[in-house]
Each structure stands twice: as structure tokens, then as C-alpha cells.
Amino acid sequence: TQLLEQSPQFLSIQEGENLTVYCNSSSVFSSLQWYRQEPGEGPVLLVTVVTGGEVKKLKRLTFQFGDARKDSSLHITAAQPGDTGLYLCAGVTTGFQKLVFGTGTRLLVSP
Amino acid sequence: KAGVTQTPRYLIKTRGQQVTLSCSPISGHRSVSWYQQTPGQGLQFLFEYFSETQRNKGNFPGRFSGRQFSNSRSEMNVSTLELGDSALYLCASSPSPLGLETQYFGPGTRLLVL
């Protein structure tokens, strides 16, 4: 069974602070995706990283895929209340058979 | 373009009953995947359908089944409901098979089993 462990599980910070969320596995994935989910809605894709060592930036969010394609991180700079939500990483298994989701990180950014 | 729609949005059933959930993908999308989300287990893959064929299945008992119609709409059925089946059931659609392109999630159906 392929597992993706996220840390931390919960994060409560003040507006303007920086944070990093980690997503780790012992398995290799074809690619890794990051989603954000808000209450009452389905997850929304933020980014897909495909190449080991790849770094992608989306405004204040920076995503990195580990060299061995087993882990990833999400760094948010100067967090804002609008960043509040559940962040999920998801690995696409080799052969594109299915998506394995991480355990989730619930982020609360207070004004 | 309309997003992924799921019906019903909320459902209350009792143990032993069966339930059918519906998912209408984005127009033109041929892949529909189903997921179960619970506080304890997180988001888990149930199965994926592409062009009316099940491509892969997660680790769920045979009580969970699905199908896809020629218009790509999909249904998921759970028979002999158990308390532990209470969850948010999400479907997601994509133009291509899972993993090749972005998949878009619907808002989910929240099922409560009493």
C-alpha cells in the first residue's frame, strides 16, 4: 500500500508568517499534485510537479518535488487569511493507475 | 463550461439500505473517478471509469460498485450500508485517463448512515 504522510497535520498562524508543509512517502510516484480544499467544496488542483527536483512557483506558493520523486513540499510566503483551507498532496502511481492522497494539512491563517 | 455536478448533495440512510450517487462530468470529459473522504482515513480512491470501462479500483469491499454511461455520466452504488460508510463522496472528471491531465472535482455528496 502506498502512503503519503503530510506534516504538520494542523497549522495555525498569523497573517504575514511563512510556512512549509511536507509530504513524504517511501514509494516513487510518476508525479505529485497539490490541492486545496475549502469547506463544502471538492479539492482544487494548485499544481502538478513531474520531474525529480522540480520547483514551481505560483505567486506566494512554492512547490518542490524531491529528487527521488518520493516527497514534496509546499512553502507559503507571507500567508493571508485567504490561504486558509485543507492542503492535500496526491501522488500519481506509476503506470497512471490511481491517485493516492496524503493525510492532509489543515491551515488556519488569522488576520 | 459547467463544472462537475453531483447529486444529491446530502443523503441520510439507515444501516442495511443501499444508495446510488450520481456524477455528471464536465462536458467532453471521459474519465470519472470516485473518492471517499472521511476525517479518519482522509481521501481514498474508489475507482475510475474511462469510456464506460473501469480502469482501476481501490481497496474497498465489493459493496461499492459503479458504472459509467455512454454520455460519461457515472453512478456509484453502495449496498448494505454500514455506519462506517458515512463520508463525503467526491467524483472528479478529466478529459483523459487518470494522471495524464488535470482532474476537476465536484462538490461531493455527504452521506450519513444511521
Side-chain angles (χ1 to χ4, degrees), chain B residues 17-20 63-65 76-81 85 89:
Chain B
Q17 287 187 310
Q18 75 164 14
V19 67
T20 299
R63 300 185 295 107
F64 292 82
S65 63
M76 190 192 87
N77 184 272
V78 187
S79 63
T80 319
L81 284 166
D85 297 332
Y89 290 88

Side-chain angles (χ1 to χ4, degrees), chain A residues 78-100:
Chain A
Q80 299 177 358
D83 295 327
T84 293
L86 176 66
Y87 288 82
L88 296 158
C89 64
V92 178
T93 59
T94 52
F96 303 102
Q97 292 302 307
K98 58 184 178 179
L99 208 55
V100 177

Side-chain angles (χ1 to χ4, degrees), chain B residues 84-96:
Chain B
D85 297 332
S86 294
L88 180 67
Y89 290 88
L90 295 157
C91 80
S93 77
S94 173
S96 304

Side-chain angles (χ1 to χ4, degrees), chain A residues 2-6 22-32 34 49-53 64-73 89-92 94 100:
Chain A
Q2 293 166 296
L3 297 173
L4 275 168
E5 296 287 337
Q6 284 185 239
Y22 299 94
C23 175
N24 296 296
S25 175
S26 59
S27 303
V28 176
F29 293 98
S30 297
S31 62
L32 203 131
W34 283 92
V49 284
V50 180
T51 307
Q64 185 163 9
F65 200 12
D67 292 339
R69 304 206 326 270
K70 293 182 180 181
D71 54 82
S72 181
S73 65
C89 64
V92 178
T94 52
V100 177

Side-chain angles (χ1 to χ4, degrees), chain A residues 25-84:
Chain A
S25 175
S26 59
S27 303
V28 176
F29 293 98
S30 297
S31 62
L32 203 131
Q33 303 174 346
W34 283 92
Y35 292 82
R36 184 172 72 205
Q37 184 178 19
E38 298 186 25
E41 299 179 11
V44 175
L45 181 68
L46 297 173
V47 77
T48 299
V49 284
V50 180
T51 307
E54 182 178 1
V55 176
K56 277 192 175 178
K57 290 189 176 183
L58 292 175
K59 297 183 181 178
R60 295 177 294 102
L61 277 61
T62 302
F63 304 85
Q64 185 163 9
F65 200 12
D67 292 339
R69 304 206 326 270
K70 293 182 180 181
D71 54 82
S72 181
S73 65
L74 157 60
H75 181 80
I76 301 179
T77 303
Q80 299 177 358
D83 295 327
T84 293

